[in-house]
Short mmCIF file of all heavy atoms in Angstrom, two decimals:
data_model
loop_
_atom_site.label_atom_id
_atom_site.label_comp_id
_atom_site.label_asym_id
_atom_site.label_seq_id
_atom_site.Cartn_x
_atom_site.Cartn_y
_atom_site.Cartn_z
N SER A 1 -19.05 2.12 -3.57
CA SER A 1 -18.69 0.77 -3.98
C SER A 1 -17.30 0.33 -3.62
O SER A 1 -16.90 -0.84 -3.80
CB SER A 1 -18.90 0.60 -5.49
OG SER A 1 -18.10 1.51 -6.21
N ALA A 2 -16.46 1.29 -3.13
CA ALA A 2 -15.07 0.95 -2.83
C ALA A 2 -14.68 1.47 -1.46
O ALA A 2 -15.16 2.57 -1.08
CB ALA A 2 -14.16 1.55 -3.91
N MET A 3 -13.87 0.72 -0.72
CA MET A 3 -13.38 1.17 0.58
C MET A 3 -11.84 1.02 0.61
O MET A 3 -11.36 -0.10 0.81
CB MET A 3 -14.06 0.33 1.70
CG MET A 3 -13.61 0.70 3.08
SD MET A 3 -14.33 -0.40 4.34
CE MET A 3 -13.49 -1.96 4.01
N PRO A 4 -11.09 2.09 0.51
CA PRO A 4 -9.61 2.03 0.60
C PRO A 4 -9.23 1.59 2.01
O PRO A 4 -9.82 2.02 2.98
CB PRO A 4 -9.25 3.45 0.30
CG PRO A 4 -10.36 4.07 -0.47
CD PRO A 4 -11.56 3.45 0.16
N THR A 5 -8.17 0.77 2.07
CA THR A 5 -7.75 0.26 3.36
C THR A 5 -6.32 -0.23 3.31
O THR A 5 -5.70 -0.32 2.21
CB THR A 5 -8.70 -0.89 3.87
OG1 THR A 5 -8.53 -1.05 5.25
CG2 THR A 5 -8.54 -2.14 3.04
N PHE A 6 -5.76 -0.60 4.45
CA PHE A 6 -4.44 -1.28 4.55
C PHE A 6 -4.73 -2.70 5.04
O PHE A 6 -5.74 -2.97 5.67
CB PHE A 6 -3.52 -0.62 5.60
CG PHE A 6 -2.87 0.61 5.06
CD1 PHE A 6 -2.53 1.68 5.97
CD2 PHE A 6 -2.54 0.78 3.74
CE1 PHE A 6 -1.87 2.77 5.53
CE2 PHE A 6 -1.83 1.93 3.30
CZ PHE A 6 -1.50 2.88 4.17
N SER A 7 -3.77 -3.59 4.81
CA SER A 7 -3.96 -5.00 5.18
C SER A 7 -3.48 -5.28 6.60
O SER A 7 -3.90 -6.23 7.26
CB SER A 7 -3.12 -5.89 4.28
OG SER A 7 -1.72 -5.71 4.42
N GLY A 8 -2.57 -4.41 7.15
CA GLY A 8 -1.91 -4.75 8.38
C GLY A 8 -0.69 -5.64 8.04
O GLY A 8 -0.47 -6.08 6.95
N ALA A 9 0.11 -5.94 9.09
CA ALA A 9 1.30 -6.68 8.85
C ALA A 9 1.75 -7.51 10.06
O ALA A 9 1.83 -7.06 11.19
CB ALA A 9 2.43 -5.67 8.58
N LEU A 10 1.93 -8.81 9.78
CA LEU A 10 2.54 -9.70 10.74
C LEU A 10 3.96 -10.08 10.34
O LEU A 10 4.79 -10.36 11.16
CB LEU A 10 1.67 -10.98 10.85
CG LEU A 10 0.23 -10.79 11.36
CD1 LEU A 10 -0.57 -12.07 11.25
CD2 LEU A 10 0.23 -10.23 12.79
N ALA A 11 4.21 -10.14 9.02
CA ALA A 11 5.49 -10.62 8.48
C ALA A 11 6.46 -9.46 8.17
O ALA A 11 7.62 -9.76 7.89
CB ALA A 11 5.24 -11.46 7.20
N TRP A 12 6.02 -8.24 8.18
CA TRP A 12 6.88 -7.12 7.76
C TRP A 12 8.20 -7.05 8.46
O TRP A 12 9.24 -6.79 7.85
CB TRP A 12 6.12 -5.80 7.87
CG TRP A 12 6.88 -4.65 7.37
CD1 TRP A 12 7.57 -3.71 8.13
CD2 TRP A 12 7.18 -4.28 6.02
NE1 TRP A 12 8.22 -2.77 7.29
CE2 TRP A 12 7.99 -3.15 6.04
CE3 TRP A 12 6.83 -4.89 4.79
CZ2 TRP A 12 8.47 -2.54 4.87
CZ3 TRP A 12 7.26 -4.25 3.65
CH2 TRP A 12 8.08 -3.12 3.65
N PRO A 13 8.31 -7.31 9.77
CA PRO A 13 9.63 -7.26 10.45
C PRO A 13 10.62 -8.27 9.81
O PRO A 13 11.84 -8.11 10.06
CB PRO A 13 9.37 -7.59 11.89
CG PRO A 13 7.89 -7.21 12.12
CD PRO A 13 7.24 -7.57 10.76
N PHE A 14 10.18 -9.24 9.08
CA PHE A 14 11.00 -10.28 8.53
C PHE A 14 11.12 -10.11 7.02
O PHE A 14 11.43 -11.11 6.30
CB PHE A 14 10.45 -11.65 8.89
CG PHE A 14 10.07 -11.78 10.31
CD1 PHE A 14 8.78 -11.65 10.77
CD2 PHE A 14 11.10 -11.97 11.24
CE1 PHE A 14 8.51 -11.75 12.13
CE2 PHE A 14 10.80 -12.08 12.61
CZ PHE A 14 9.50 -11.95 13.08
N LEU A 15 10.95 -8.93 6.49
CA LEU A 15 11.00 -8.64 5.05
C LEU A 15 12.33 -9.11 4.44
O LEU A 15 12.33 -9.79 3.42
CB LEU A 15 10.75 -7.15 4.83
CG LEU A 15 10.86 -6.72 3.37
CD1 LEU A 15 9.65 -7.17 2.57
CD2 LEU A 15 10.96 -5.16 3.25
N TYR A 16 13.42 -8.73 5.08
CA TYR A 16 14.71 -9.13 4.51
C TYR A 16 15.12 -10.51 5.08
O TYR A 16 15.03 -10.72 6.27
CB TYR A 16 15.76 -8.03 4.90
CG TYR A 16 17.02 -8.21 4.05
CD1 TYR A 16 16.95 -7.71 2.76
CD2 TYR A 16 18.19 -8.82 4.50
CE1 TYR A 16 18.13 -7.83 1.95
CE2 TYR A 16 19.26 -8.90 3.75
CZ TYR A 16 19.28 -8.41 2.46
OH TYR A 16 20.41 -8.50 1.66
N PRO A 17 15.51 -11.45 4.22
CA PRO A 17 15.67 -12.82 4.72
C PRO A 17 17.02 -13.07 5.38
O PRO A 17 17.73 -14.02 5.11
CB PRO A 17 15.59 -13.61 3.35
CG PRO A 17 16.04 -12.68 2.35
CD PRO A 17 15.58 -11.33 2.72
N PHE A 18 17.39 -12.17 6.30
CA PHE A 18 18.51 -12.39 7.19
C PHE A 18 18.23 -11.63 8.48
O PHE A 18 17.87 -10.47 8.43
CB PHE A 18 19.80 -11.87 6.55
CG PHE A 18 21.02 -12.15 7.38
CD1 PHE A 18 21.65 -13.42 7.24
CD2 PHE A 18 21.54 -11.30 8.32
CE1 PHE A 18 22.77 -13.75 8.00
CE2 PHE A 18 22.59 -11.60 9.08
CZ PHE A 18 23.19 -12.81 8.92
N PRO A 19 18.42 -12.23 9.63
CA PRO A 19 18.81 -13.65 9.82
C PRO A 19 17.85 -14.62 9.07
O PRO A 19 16.65 -14.24 8.82
CB PRO A 19 18.74 -13.87 11.31
CG PRO A 19 18.75 -12.51 11.90
CD PRO A 19 18.11 -11.60 10.90
N GLN A 20 18.35 -15.74 8.70
CA GLN A 20 17.59 -16.71 7.94
C GLN A 20 16.27 -16.97 8.64
O GLN A 20 16.17 -17.24 9.82
CB GLN A 20 18.37 -17.98 7.79
CG GLN A 20 17.73 -18.93 6.81
CD GLN A 20 18.58 -20.20 6.61
OE1 GLN A 20 18.84 -20.87 7.61
NE2 GLN A 20 18.96 -20.54 5.46
N ARG A 21 15.20 -16.90 7.81
CA ARG A 21 13.86 -17.15 8.36
C ARG A 21 13.66 -18.66 8.48
O ARG A 21 13.93 -19.40 7.58
CB ARG A 21 12.80 -16.54 7.42
CG ARG A 21 12.85 -15.06 7.32
CD ARG A 21 11.68 -14.47 6.54
NE ARG A 21 11.69 -14.92 5.15
CZ ARG A 21 11.72 -14.08 4.12
NH1 ARG A 21 11.83 -12.76 4.28
NH2 ARG A 21 11.66 -14.58 2.89
N PRO A 22 13.00 -19.10 9.54
CA PRO A 22 12.71 -20.54 9.63
C PRO A 22 11.63 -20.91 8.63
O PRO A 22 10.76 -20.09 8.27
CB PRO A 22 12.18 -20.67 11.05
CG PRO A 22 11.67 -19.30 11.47
CD PRO A 22 12.61 -18.32 10.76
N PRO A 23 11.67 -22.13 8.12
CA PRO A 23 10.72 -22.55 7.11
C PRO A 23 9.28 -22.41 7.61
O PRO A 23 8.98 -22.72 8.77
CB PRO A 23 11.05 -24.02 6.86
CG PRO A 23 12.52 -24.15 7.28
CD PRO A 23 12.69 -23.15 8.39
N GLY A 24 8.44 -21.84 6.75
CA GLY A 24 7.00 -21.74 7.05
C GLY A 24 6.63 -20.46 7.78
O GLY A 24 5.43 -20.21 8.00
#
C-alpha cells in the first residue's frame, strides 16, 4: 500500500535566497 520515493528537485540550487531570486 506504500511506495517510498523522492520528489526530485528543480529549485534546490536556489535554496539560499542570495543572489536574490527573481520573483516567481
Side-chain angles (χ1 to χ4, degrees):
S1 60
M3 180 184 68
T5 195
F6 281 150
S7 68
L10 298 172
W12 182 256
F14 310 101
L15 176 70
Y16 198 78
F18 186 85
Q20 188 178 56
R21 297 186 297 240

